[in-house]
């Protein structure tokens, strides 16, 4: 592939799209409420941007906003000269599962809940120099990789997101 040059007067935005949906849901009931089961699984899909070329150059007088974008220079340099601020964010996806089961008209019951999160951060990667100049650089779960990496800003704030993974279960009744 060839070189990619993106130049914008007012700013560059690479925003992800997310869609949360019920992936699976079912309910079963037994005779006269003697037993029942239910199950739900929710997921979030994400669609992010990819900018890939031999060399990648990003130029703007405004801000750079990225949500989970991959900027990859496959055989050269990645150069970003941003006159405003660089916001290099991640995209979080969440999967949730809920299930319940009961018998003896609810005297015996159990339920469980599980939430799992993952993140896809902005990636700035080159085989040569990865250069990012901006007034301020703020990144969450951002990876900046290159043979040489140069970040030039008044303030640089890069951190990892703490994911909210949790689960719980409870039972009641005979043998609980």
């Amino acid at each position: 592939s060839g070189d990619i040059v993106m130049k914008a007067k007012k700013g560059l935005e690479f925003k992800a799209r997310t869609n949360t949906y019920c992936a699976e849901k079912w309910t079963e009931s037994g005779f006269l409420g003697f037993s029942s089961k239910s199950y739900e699984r929710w997921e979030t899909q994400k669609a992010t941007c990819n900018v890939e070329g031999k060399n990648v150059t990003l130029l703007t007088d405004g801000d750079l906003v990225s949500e989970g974008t991959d900027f990859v220079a496959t055989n050269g340099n990645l150069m970003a000269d941003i006159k405003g601020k660089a916001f290099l964010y991640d995209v979080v996806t969440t999967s949730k599962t809920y299930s319940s089961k009961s018998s003896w008209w609810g005297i015996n019951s159990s339920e469980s809940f599980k939430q799992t999160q993952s993140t896809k951060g902005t990636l700035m990667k080159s085989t040569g120099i990865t250069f990012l100049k901006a007034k301020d650089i703020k990144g969450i779960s951002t990876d900046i990789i290159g043979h040489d990496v140069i970040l030039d800003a008044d303030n640089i704030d890069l951190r990892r997101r703490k994911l909210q993974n949790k689960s719980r279960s409870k039972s009641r009744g005979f043998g609980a």
Side-chain angles (χ1 to χ4, degrees):
S1 65
D3 294 342
I4 293 182
V5 177
M6 293 185 174
K7 184 176 182 179
K9 190 81 170 155
K10 295 183 180 180
L12 293 166
E13 289 190 5
F14 302 88
K15 297 221 173 173
R17 295 183 59 105
T18 59
N19 177 35
T20 301
Y21 64 98
C22 183
E24 187 176 1
K25 182 177 182 174
W26 54 263
T27 303
E28 294 178 7
S29 291
F31 179 69
L32 295 175
F34 178 73
S35 67
S36 68
K37 297 177 185 177
S38 68
Y39 176 81
E40 286 185 29
R41 184 170 52 91
W42 290 81
E43 292 185 353
T44 302
Q45 282 183 325
K46 64 182 180 286
T48 58
C49 301
N50 293 314
V51 178
E52 185 176 309
K54 181 178 175 183
N55 292 288
V56 175
T57 304
L58 307 171
L59 306 166
T60 183
D61 291 338
D63 295 336
L64 168 65
V65 179
S66 166
E67 295 176 350
T69 306
D70 288 346
F71 299 98
V72 179
T74 57
N75 195 21
N77 301 319
L78 189 153
M79 308 296 271
D81 189 358
I82 313 302
K83 301 293 186 226
K85 298 177 181 180
F87 300 98
L88 309 174
Y89 296 132
D90 60 345
V91 177
V92 176
T93 58
T94 304
S95 174
K96 295 180 182 181
T97 305
Y98 172 79
S99 63
S100 68
K101 185 170 34 171
S102 69
S103 61
W104 294 96
W105 299 275
I107 294 172
N108 285 335
S109 66
S110 65
E111 64 180 5
S112 66
F113 171 80
K114 183 176 182 181
Q115 174 179 293
T116 306
Q117 288 187 325
S118 63
T119 184
K120 164 57 179 100
T122 294
L123 171 66
M124 300 189 91
K125 180 179 178 182
S126 75
T127 56
I129 298 170
T130 299
F131 174 80
L132 172 58
K133 180 179 181 178
K135 183 176 178 180
D136 292 319
I137 300 171
K138 182 175 184 177
I140 299 174
S141 299
T142 302
D143 291 315
I144 302 172
I145 302 167
H147 186 270
D148 294 308
V149 175
I150 302 167
L151 302 178
D152 184 359
D154 291 339
N155 184 43
I156 299 173
D157 181 7
L158 300 174
R159 57 184 74 187
R160 290 282 172 203
R161 178 177 301 278
K162 183 178 179 184
L163 299 176
Q164 301 294 318
N165 295 319
K166 52 190 164 187
S167 64
R168 71 173 187 267
S169 61
K170 66 179 182 178
S171 299
R172 69 174 188 194
F174 305 115

